Amino acid sequence: MNRRTLLKLSTAFGAALFGFASAAQAQDTIKLGEMNSYKVFAAFLEPYKKGWELAVEEVNAAGGVLGKKLEIVSRDDNGNPGDAVRVAEELLSREKVAFLIGTFPSHVGLAVSSFAKEKKVLFIAAEPLTDKIVWDQGNKYTFRLRASTYMQTAMLVPDAVKLKKKRWAIVYPNYEYGQSATAAFKKLMKEKQPDVEFVIEQAPPLGKIEAGAVVDAIAAAKPDAIFSSLFGPDLAKFVREGNTRGLFKGVEVFNLLAGEPEYLDPLKDETPEGWYVTGYPWEQINTPEHKKFREAYMKRFNDYPRLGSIVGYSTVQSAVAAIKKAGSLDTEKLVAAMRGLEHETPFGKITYRPQDHQSTMGAYVGKLTLKDGKGTMKDWYYADGAKFLPSDADIAKMRPAD
C-alpha cells in the first residue's frame, strides 16, 4: 500500500470519526430554534437574550433535560414576517431544532404561528401581544407566554371606570398591537361605562410619531383622559411634547407597558407623575421566586433585570417543562404536554390554558412616579392573568377548532 493510499485512508477514517463524534454530540444535545427582532427592538430584546441565556445555563448546570444538554440556536428575524419564516425554515431544516420559540412584534409572531401550523411544529410565542395569535388565528401548534394586549388592557380598565371620565382620547402605534389595544379598550369601557365618548384617535406609524402634531390634536379635542399604547421612542417623544405643551395637566393618562424599565428608564426626570400603567417594578418585588431570579441575574450580568429578562427566562422554563412532561421531542407529545402545562416563573406559577393556549402570566399594575430623578412605579399590585380573560364560551366563538 503506497503512501498516497495510506493518506487517503487516514483522511477518510478521520472524517468518519469526526462525523461520528458530531452525531454523538448532537444526540447529547437538545436544540431549540429561537428567532427575534434583536436589531429592531434592542431595548427589550437584549435583556430578553440575557434572560434565556441565564435559564439555559441553570438548566445545564442542573444536569440538562432528559439527560441532555440544552442549546438555543438563535437568529435575528429583522422584525420582518418574511425574514422570520425564512429563518424558521432554516432552523428546522438546517439546524434540526426540536421546535421554535421567540418573536417580538405581533405581525412577526402571527407569521411564524402560521408557519408552525403548516409545518406541524411546536411554537412557543414569547412576546407577541396580539390577541389573534391565540384567538382568531389560534392553532394547535402555537402557545403564547406573555399576558396579551386584551389582558393588559383589561387590567387597566377597572381604574379607568372608577374615575368616571367621559371624554377619552386614544393614541396608539398603527399596527396590530396598537389596533388591538384600542379595540379592546373601547369595547371594555363601553361595557362598563356606556356613556363614555371617544373624542379623538391618533394612530401614528410605529417609530414615526410626529409627537408635536399628535399632542396638539389631542389637546384641541379637550379630553378628560387619554388611553395610550405607545412604547419605546414613540412614547418618549409623546411624553416630552406632552410635558412641554401642558397636555397632561388635569388629564388622567393610562398607558400600556409604560412601567416596563425598557421604556420607563429612558424618560428619566421627564417621567409623568400619576399615569396608570402596566409594568415591572423589579427593585420592589420581593417574593421568594423573584428575589432568587433577580439575584442570579444581577450576579451573572452585573445589571438589573428588565421585563424582557423575565420573558426570555420564562420562555426557556416553559420549553423545558414541556419537554420533561412529554418525556420526548415528538411534536404531538410536546403539544399535548403544553396544554394545561404548569410551571414556576419569577412571577409565580403559570398555566397554559387548554382552551386557547394562552398562559396565565400576569402583569404589574400601578402608577408612575419620580424617585431620585428616575421613573418608577408606586401603588402597584400583581394582576393574575387568569382573571383578565374572556369566558370560555366567548373564546370558543373566536378561536378556530384545532
Side-chain angles (χ1 to χ4, degrees):
M1 187 178 295
N2 61 37
R3 184 176 178 182
R4 181 176 295 179
T5 304
L6 281 171
L7 182 60
K8 287 181 178 179
L9 287 172
S10 176
T11 301
F13 182 67
L17 280 177
F18 178 79
F20 179 79
S22 297
Q25 185 178 13
Q27 290 172 359
D28 292 335
T29 303
I30 292 175
K31 296 167 71 173
L32 304 184
E34 193 277 337
M35 70 207 76
N36 241 307
S37 312
Y38 289 103
K39 297 188 191 78
V40 181
F41 298 103
F44 192 97
L45 292 172
E46 287 177 7
Y48 162 90
K49 187 172 188 289
K50 290 177 179 177
W52 65 248
E53 286 175 342
L54 176 62
V56 170
E57 289 169 7
E58 290 180 351
V59 167
N60 288 336
V65 56
L66 302 186
K68 300 181 180 182
K69 291 289 185 182
L70 183 66
E71 178 185 351
I72 304 288
V73 183
S74 181
R75 298 285 185 270
D76 198 311
D77 60 32
N78 299 311
N80 181 283
D83 286 354
V85 170
R86 177 185 56 77
V87 165
E89 179 66 61
E90 176 188 317
L91 288 168
L92 289 175
S93 61
R94 187 180 303 174
E95 299 293 342
K96 308 298 183 185
V97 300
F99 55 89
L100 302 171
I101 61 175
T103 71
F104 182 91
S106 292
H107 59 311
V108 172
L110 288 169
V112 176
S113 175
S114 178
F115 172 84
K117 178 183 178 182
E118 177 190 346
K119 298 295 183 179
K120 295 183 169 57
V121 61
L122 173 63
F123 170 44
I124 302 177
E127 170 63 23
L129 299 184
T130 175
D131 300 310
K132 291 180 180 178
I133 206 165
V134 291
W135 295 344
D136 305 49
Q137 297 178 28
N139 65 67
K140 176 180 178 179
Y141 298 95
T142 299
F143 295 77
R144 196 250 305 282
L145 172 69
R146 266 205 79 181
S148 70
T149 300
Y150 177 95
M151 294 163 72
Q152 294 197 53
T153 302
M155 292 170 188
L156 290 179
V157 164
D159 284 322
V161 172
K162 285 178 187 176
L163 296 177
K164 298 181 179 179
K165 300 296 183 182
K166 187 173 182 179
R167 294 170 55 82
W168 284 82
I170 297 179
V171 56
Y172 60 94
N174 195 12
Y175 79 115
E176 169 59 29
Y177 152 72
Q179 294 161 4
S180 293
T182 297
F185 184 75
K186 292 168 73 173
K187 176 180 182 292
L188 292 169
M189 284 298 292
K190 276 289 186 182
E191 289 174 358
K192 302 290 184 181
Q193 186 181 328
D195 69 341
V196 70
E197 297 177 10
F198 302 105
V199 295
I200 187 172
E201 289 186 21
Q202 292 288 289
L206 177 64
K208 298 179 181 178
I209 189 172
E210 295 290 341
V214 168
V215 166
D216 286 346
I218 292 174
K222 294 181 168 49
D224 303 320
I226 299 168
F227 175 76
S228 164
S229 51
L230 298 175
F231 66 97
D234 288 341
L235 173 63
K237 292 174 184 176
F238 179 68
V239 167
R240 185 168 297 118
E241 291 294 336
N243 284 338
T244 300
R245 302 174 190 225
L247 174 64
F248 310 130
K249 291 180 181 177
V251 175
E252 301 286 357
V253 182
F254 289 70
N255 201 115
L256 290 179
L257 315 183
E260 296 177 9
E262 290 88 336
Y263 314 128
L264 178 58
D265 291 353
L267 300 181
K268 299 180 181 177
D269 61 358
E270 294 183 299
T271 298
E273 188 77 37
W275 281 23
Y276 294 81
V277 297
T278 60
Y280 172 44
W282 65 270
E283 76 283 16
Q284 303 175 59
I285 305 169
N286 291 315
T287 59
E289 57 270 19
H290 186 264
K291 284 180 67 177
K292 180 181 177 183
F293 164 78
R294 181 176 62 209
E295 290 168 4
Y297 187 94
M298 295 181 75
K299 180 179 179 181
R300 172 66 176 82
F301 299 109
N302 193 31
D303 193 9
Y304 58 91
R306 278 72 162 180
L307 199 280
S309 313
I310 294 287
V311 174
Y313 188 86
S314 301
T315 300
V316 170
Q317 288 183 310
S318 294
V320 169
I323 295 168
K324 288 181 176 179
K325 182 180 175 184
S328 166
L329 297 179
D330 175 79
T331 293
E332 298 305 320
K333 291 180 180 178
L334 286 166
V335 168
M338 284 295 301
R339 294 172 60 87
L341 180 71
E342 292 185 356
H343 68 85
E344 293 292 339
T345 76
F347 282 5
K349 183 177 287 187
I350 65 169
T351 303
Y352 283 89
R353 294 154 35 106
Q355 60 268 51
D356 59 2
H357 298 188
Q358 171 64 48
S359 103
T360 58
M361 177 176 276
Y364 286 85
V365 179
K367 294 182 180 181
L368 295 185
T369 189
L370 268 171
K371 183 177 181 182
D372 301 326
K374 294 170 58 178
T376 187
M377 289 176 66
K378 66 177 182 179
D379 303 333
W380 54 265
Y381 63 94
Y382 182 68
D384 180 357
K387 298 178 181 178
F388 295 92
L389 283 158
S391 69
D392 289 356
D394 285 342
I395 288 169
K397 293 174 185 175
M398 291 186 287
R399 182 181 167 90
D402 290 338

